[in-house]
Amino acid sequence: MIKVGIIGGAGYTAGELIRLLINHPDVEILFVNSTSNAGNKLTDVHEGLYGETDLMFTDDLLPDEIDLLFFCTAHGDTKKFMETHTLPEKLKVIDLSQDYRIASPSHEFVYGLPELNRRAICKSKYVANPGCFATGIQLALLPLAKHLMLNRDIHVNAVTGSTGAGVKPSATSHFSWRNNNISIYKPFAHQHLEEIRQSFTQLQHSFNASVNFIPVRGDFARGIFTTAYMECKIELNEILKIYEEYYDDHSFTFVVDKNPDLKQVVNTNKCLLHLQKIDGKLLITSVIDNLLKGASGQAVHNMNLLFNLEETVGLHLKPSAF
């Protein structure tokens, strides 16, 4: 059994991670650390886990007793922890914050997008889980980067659910504001753009095109619906072959022949992609669940790779019928 610990256990991504790990046949959760909730039951915060666990939150850390440590911490906190603690040599780490997503000689973290770095993840010790927007956008465009086809301006619009803003209430996540509403934020300047460009450059060294990204707050709880388009002279049937070949041996990303709906992926670890050519433009639609494929499900996928398990173990999740 893989013995795991979680730091930052009270948020949405932590709740989903705990749910997945409780039901994973090869995992035992030894502790869930949350200073503000220490001594309380997990079900006091994650009420959907009633009947599934009797675990309590703790403010203790047991690094010598675990094989893997998950960080579900606020951005900046993982780096502070890593810089102030000495971890056991055998301990592996998966960080769900943005602290180590950008490659640097100053750290050993591998960027944890399996559809890009599966082999590197399998050989690594520390993994930086990708951002949710970054996951949906990269999966929409990576096959083109591999074939050196990202040479024109890329236009991206992505709508995210309110869970993307985290569990702590804010002015723009409050129900009365979010309900029956839609708005943009951080246009052309979202923090996930840096990791997106890094991945495109990894496959296409000459990549220098603009990624014009408009993030949108949607009137729903979970999921990300992304559309990306650019000028393209290649015929659609050739592009489809490129995508089908790229994702042929990947377990969670699928090229579909109909425009996908967000509900097809919510509560799953899937990404569905649809491509079409209209008036010389290539339009790619990408849909994911921001809490699973964009966060905790991808983290479990990375865990499976780190420990040489079949990569879909614990991730056979099905969408709601409605």
Side-chain angles (χ1 to χ4, degrees):
M1 297 288 283
I2 303 167
K3 299 185 187 313
V4 309
I6 299 169
I7 297 179
Y12 289 136
T13 56
E16 288 294 83
L17 180 62
I18 293 164
R19 178 174 69 89
L20 293 173
L21 295 178
I22 284 172
N23 293 287
H24 194 292
D26 299 299
V27 170
E28 178 185 0
I29 302 175
L30 259 60
F31 68 83
V32 179
N33 179 284
S34 173
T35 303
S36 61
N37 289 285
N40 297 329
K41 293 181 179 180
L42 264 61
T43 50
D44 290 343
V45 174
H46 304 299
E47 296 178 358
L49 297 177
Y50 279 126
E52 296 189 47
T53 180
D54 294 320
L55 278 170
M56 311 278 285
F57 288 106
T58 179
D59 56 5
D60 292 331
L61 296 172
L62 306 168
D64 293 314
E65 299 181 24
I66 58 175
D67 305 301
L68 173 63
L69 182 60
F70 287 98
F71 285 93
C72 296
T73 46
H75 301 313
D77 287 354
T78 304
K79 188 174 183 181
K80 291 177 185 176
F81 184 96
M82 296 293 289
E83 291 175 347
T84 56
H85 291 74
T86 301
L87 299 181
E89 183 62 29
K90 72 175 183 67
L91 183 62
K92 298 185 179 183
V93 172
I94 296 177
D95 178 26
L96 280 79
S97 81
Q98 67 182 22
D99 290 8
Y100 292 103
R101 291 173 186 164
I102 304 305
S104 169
S106 66
H107 67 76
E108 303 175 52
F109 280 79
V110 169
Y111 187 66
L113 186 68
E115 290 84 356
L116 176 67
N117 287 330
R118 181 161 56 189
R119 290 184 181 179
I121 294 165
C122 290
K123 298 175 183 178
S124 68
K125 180 179 174 183
Y126 297 157
V127 174
N129 224 56
C132 52
F133 272 132
T135 296
I137 294 169
Q138 288 174 93
L139 293 177
L141 296 164
L142 284 177
L144 299 178
K146 183 179 180 181
H147 287 262
L148 312 182
M149 294 170 63
L150 295 182
N151 301 310
R152 297 175 180 269
D153 286 358
I154 303 162
H155 305 277
V156 181
N157 181 286
V159 190
T160 185
S162 57
T163 52
V167 70
K168 187 176 181 179
S170 68
T172 57
S173 63
H174 194 283
F175 176 80
S176 59
W177 185 90
R178 195 96 178 202
N179 188 47
N180 296 323
N181 196 16
I182 192 167
S183 63
I184 67 170
Y185 68 109
K186 298 181 181 178
F188 310 119
H190 195 276
Q191 64 270 18
H192 290 181
L193 279 169
E194 189 174 3
E195 61 187 279
I196 291 168
R197 292 191 181 102
Q198 173 181 259
S199 296
F200 292 166
T201 303
Q202 179 179 329
L203 291 180
Q204 182 176 330
H205 299 323
S206 62
F207 176 74
N208 195 33
S210 295
V211 181
N212 301 306
F213 174 34
I214 307 295
V216 181
R217 302 181 185 97
D219 177 20
F220 51 91
R222 60 194 292 167
I224 296 178
F225 189 99
T226 300
T227 53
Y229 71 91
M230 71 204 73
E231 301 287 339
C232 181
K233 296 180 179 179
I234 310 300
E235 294 296 324
L236 181 60
N237 62 338
E238 293 300 317
I239 298 170
L240 284 170
K241 288 178 184 177
I242 287 170
Y243 274 73
E244 288 164 355
E245 177 185 328
Y246 188 98
Y247 291 117
D248 179 61
D249 64 343
H250 289 284
S251 302
F252 296 107
T253 301
F254 304 92
V255 181
V256 297
D257 58 6
K258 295 180 181 178
N259 269 315
D261 296 315
L262 195 58
K263 283 192 173 184
Q264 292 172 256
V265 297
V266 169
N267 297 316
T268 81
N269 197 51
K270 296 177 184 177
C271 174
L272 300 185
L273 301 173
H274 179 258
L275 292 82
Q276 51 189 311
K277 282 288 296 293
I278 302 171
D279 296 332
K281 295 180 179 65
L282 175 64
L283 173 64
I284 307 123
T285 303
S286 164
V287 290
I288 64 169
D289 184 313
N290 60 298
L291 295 179
L292 289 171
K293 183 59 175 166
S296 302
Q298 189 155 225
V300 172
H301 187 177
N302 282 322
M303 177 193 72
N304 289 341
L305 295 174
L306 282 175
F307 289 90
N308 200 29
L309 301 176
E310 201 284 316
E311 64 182 350
T312 65
V313 175
L315 291 168
H316 294 286
L317 311 170
K318 299 184 184 299
S320 170
F322 302 100

